[in-house]
Amino acid sequence: MTTSRQVGIVGVGLMGHGIANSLLRAGHEVSFLEHPGNQPVDDLMAAGATPLSSGREVAQNAEVVILCVTGSPQVEAVLFEPNGVLEGLKPGSVVVDCSTALPSSTETVAARVVAAGGRFMDAAMTRTPKEAEEGRLNLIVGAPTALFDETLPLLQGFAENIAHAGDVGAGHTLKLLHNFVSLGFSAVLAEATAASRKAGISDSALLEVLGAGGGGGVVLERLRPYIVDNDPSGFKFTVANATKDLGYYHTMTNELGVERGVAEAVHALYTSIDDTTAAVPEVIGVLEKRT
């Protein structure tokens, strides 16, 4: 049986809400930071979660603090701003960063957490809010082996597949690689669908051929509902988030000094979309209007 832990969550948005719910079902004590960007939290409070007014209070009431915010600037803000998490961090407490962040920033953040007496791991997420609510996220973890082993039972409370990528920063590095591949495939499929329609090919024929050949896979299945029914819900990831993550990938590969020609083309496609609130599948419709 999993030992109950005191867990504080900063960022109860689409993904963080699901994490909180899953941890409550798993028997953990959960508190969270009150914030206008949170999803409705009545259900969490009814299940026993406690709202707190500052990052400092969240840290004071937790053995493990989970960050589920947008990116590196937000991570640094919630940790280091006045009355933030670092001010309330108890000796030996663990900060788990589930955001998508720049690995170079992650290493700096980890050093400051350790200097304050805490421990740090990056645990970047993949999958969607649906899997978050079901406790079936994928996690890509960067942490020392001993800390990973210690924290694994807690992570299993909200994740189904958990990969230990290496030491601190490896989780965020591999997440950016994953998102580049996923968003790159989405861009290729969006352009192919727009071209197919311009050529008069039926969507059913396109999906049949791609699905049975080199275009088959998870990304095609996420785009399928939009191609068939104009339903973007299969990939609830906005153009704004895609642009942000690809920008992080660009920065990371620049720091590494590796080739990124394809990534630059993919990034250029997403940055050319005016409606940044559109979901990734809706890029297909945008490209159709350009032909």
Side-chain angles (χ1 to χ4, degrees):
M1 183 176 179
T2 301
T3 303
S4 176
R5 305 288 297 272
Q6 294 175 307
V7 183
I9 301 179
V10 177
V12 187
L14 289 171
M15 302 296 276
H17 186 280
I19 291 173
N21 244 335
S22 297
L23 289 172
L24 287 164
R25 287 196 306 270
H28 299 288
E29 298 178 40
V30 174
S31 60
F32 62 90
L33 177 64
E34 294 180 302
H35 191 274
N38 287 349
Q39 291 292 296
V41 295
D42 290 349
D43 58 337
L44 300 181
M45 294 169 63
T50 303
L52 298 170
S53 61
S54 70
R56 185 172 186 265
E57 287 183 85
V58 171
Q60 288 173 332
N61 286 273
E63 308 165 60
V64 179
V65 178
I66 296 175
L67 310 180
C68 194
V69 295
T70 305
S72 293
Q74 292 77 21
V75 169
E76 293 174 11
V78 300
L79 285 173
F80 308 138
E81 66 187 5
N83 219 24
V85 168
L86 213 63
E87 289 187 9
L89 201 64
K90 296 184 292 189
S93 293
V94 182
V95 174
V96 182
D97 183 7
C98 290
S99 67
T100 300
L102 275 170
S104 54
S105 170
T106 298
E107 292 172 5
T108 301
V109 165
R112 290 187 64 176
V113 169
V114 170
R119 297 177 290 165
F120 181 91
M121 63 194 303
D122 42 308
M125 304 172 290
T126 67
R127 290 190 166 173
T128 71
K130 176 177 181 291
E131 284 86 18
E133 291 288 346
E134 295 169 349
R136 297 179 50 248
L137 287 173
N138 293 340
L139 293 181
I140 311 167
V141 179
T145 300
L147 181 58
F148 175 78
D149 292 342
E150 175 190 329
T151 314
L152 183 59
L154 175 71
L155 302 180
Q156 289 170 330
F158 62 93
E160 181 177 37
N161 301 303
I162 302 170
H164 186 198
D167 213 336
V168 169
H172 283 153
T173 297
L174 192 50
K175 172 63 185 294
L176 293 180
L177 290 164
H178 170 276
N179 280 18
F180 163 55
V181 171
S182 177
L183 293 167
F185 284 175
S186 297
V188 169
L189 289 168
E191 286 196 356
T193 302
S196 175
R197 288 175 172 176
K198 184 71 172 181
I201 304 296
S202 71
D203 290 339
S204 59
L206 175 71
L207 290 168
E208 179 182 359
V209 171
L210 291 180
V218 171
V219 176
L220 179 64
E221 295 312 308
R222 286 180 175 176
L223 298 184
R224 185 184 292 271
Y226 185 83
I227 296 172
V228 174
D229 293 317
N230 288 325
D231 175 9
S233 64
F235 199 172
K236 288 184 176 180
F237 198 74
T238 66
V239 168
N241 280 330
T243 303
K244 183 262 294 182
D245 287 3
L246 289 165
Y248 280 179
Y249 182 83
H250 180 89
T251 299
M252 181 183 76
T253 51
N254 186 53
E255 292 172 348
L256 291 171
V258 296
E259 176 61 40
R260 58 177 185 275
V262 174
E264 288 174 353
V266 173
H267 191 209
L269 173 65
Y270 286 103
T271 55
S272 74
I273 307 298
D274 292 330
D275 183 4
T276 59
T277 65
V280 167
E282 294 175 295
V283 172
I284 295 170
V286 174
L287 296 182
E288 272 194 280
K289 293 174 182 177
R290 293 179 180 176
T291 58

